[in-house]
């Protein structure tokens, strides 16, 4: 369905750049806020009774880690983060990784994703992701790898809007 | 640079769908939260000392209104919203439009944008937007109309993450 003539590859490259530029800009914005916050500040709620900073950091790390198998890039690096930060709401689980550990995991998973992104050829971004069957993908070709980046970028932006309230 | 052979148009249509699906999903999510909030709740801050709901509603309405000239769709509908909601921070200007007016303006501007979107042909999404010169666009073809939707979608998502804290 997606062919590889030179003009089309060029158009695809433009689209890929548009999407990845937003992803990397938001990762950078998040990192800037994270570097400004102390570990104590991360223990605070973004608004009374709402999620704490440490939970948002763990949640985003776990969701980005899930992108590795979803994009067919390999196994998750931190599978133990799913239970406390995706399956459970904040404050449901008492023992969480330290802020120091989570800061390191957050950096690492985004670094690995960036490496994997840079190794993909343009056409490979338009291949199906791992949560859609080959059969469904024929009918729904928008369910490709690049679409995962679009949805995860808006997810990151949503929580960045909350995280920045801790400043 | 972007040509119109049938396979490429198909690839472009997939990309346009990916981007517009996120835009409309987030508009819908925002509308759902907005409908749940009373006018009194809109007067509250999303977190102590931070922006009020009414300011975020006005800000998003003004930013979406700005998309009309930026995308070459015509004049802004509500130019008077720029001063209180883009040029000024929250609480700097005492007299703001009522919540009722802002709710109506928010709906209207998004409706007009949706009509304009549906009238565009696929290739027209990849034409330059109005803040880039023809000369720069040759070097930076990603500065097209569709990229405006990508950046405004993450902007909407960022503030939706804050707005939902009022619930």
């Amino acid at each position: 369905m997606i062919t590889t003539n030179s003009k089309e590859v060029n158009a695809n490259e433009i689209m890929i750049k548009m999407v990845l530029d937003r992803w990397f800009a938001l990762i950078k914005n998040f990192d800037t806020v994270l570097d400004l916050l102390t570990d104590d500040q991360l223990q605070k709620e973004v608004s009374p009774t709402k999620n704490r900073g440490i939970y948002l950091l763990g949640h985003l790390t776990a969701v980005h880690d899930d992108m590795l198998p979803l994009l067919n890039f390999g196994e998750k690096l931190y599978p133990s983060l799913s239970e406390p930060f995706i399956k459970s709401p904040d404050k449901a689980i008492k023992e969480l990784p330290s802020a120091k550990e989570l800061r390191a995991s957050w950096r690492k998973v985004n670094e690995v994703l960036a490496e994997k992104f840079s190794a993909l050829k343009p056409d490979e971004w338009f291949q199906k992701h791992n949560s859609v069957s080959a059969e469904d993908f024929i009918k729904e070709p928008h369910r490709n790898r690049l679409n995962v980046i679009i949805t995860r970028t808006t997810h990151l932006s949503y929580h960045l809007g909350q995280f920045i309230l801790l400043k």
Side-chain angles (χ1 to χ4, degrees), chain A:
Chain A
M1 174 111 19
I2 311 290
T3 58
T4 54
N5 74 65
S6 64
K7 280 176 186 159
E8 181 167 308
V9 168
N10 185 50
N12 286 353
E13 283 176 2
I14 292 169
M15 294 187 261
I16 294 162
K17 177 176 171 54
M18 287 156 59
V19 174
L20 292 187
D21 277 0
R22 286 313 294 155
W23 169 266
F24 286 117
L26 284 160
I27 294 282
K28 189 177 171 188
N29 289 349
F30 192 93
D31 284 344
T32 300
V33 180
L34 182 58
D35 286 347
L36 286 172
L37 297 174
T38 64
D39 291 354
D40 281 349
Q41 283 175 300
L42 288 178
Q43 297 300 329
K44 293 186 180 158
E45 294 165 333
V46 298
S47 183
T49 78
K50 307 296 182 183
N51 290 330
R52 292 171 298 167
I54 190 88
Y55 182 81
L56 292 181
L57 176 60
H59 175 68
L60 286 166
T61 304
V63 167
H64 289 197
D65 198 28
D66 267 354
M67 291 168 69
L68 291 169
L70 183 57
L71 294 167
N72 213 12
F73 288 159
E75 302 279 307
K76 288 199 270 191
L77 302 177
Y78 309 105
S80 66
L81 297 182
S82 285
E83 188 61 41
F85 294 115
I86 295 182
K87 294 182 188 161
S88 312
D90 192 17
K91 300 154 207 165
I93 293 185
K94 293 290 163 209
E95 289 281 323
L96 294 180
S98 69
K100 190 180 171 190
E101 282 175 277
L102 286 174
R103 286 176 194 266
S105 304
W106 165 252
R107 303 279 177 173
K108 179 68 181 172
V109 72
N110 292 325
E111 276 171 25
V112 171
L113 283 169
E115 283 165 21
K116 299 287 186 181
F117 293 173
S118 67
L120 281 193
K121 296 187 186 76
D123 271 15
E124 292 176 314
W125 279 109
F126 296 91
Q127 292 168 347
K128 77 176 196 71
H129 61 64
N130 270 347
S131 292
V132 59
S133 70
E135 193 179 30
D136 286 345
F137 186 62
I138 292 168
K139 291 171 286 181
E140 302 177 302
H142 61 281
R143 298 176 69 182
N144 54 50
R145 281 177 165 140
L146 196 62
N147 204 32
V148 171
I149 311 302
I150 292 177
T151 58
R152 296 312 181 276
T153 299
T154 57
H155 176 260
L156 171 57
S157 191
Y158 180 95
H159 289 304
L160 173 60
Q162 300 170 334
F163 198 68
I164 206 165
L165 299 172
L166 293 169
K167 277 209 311 190

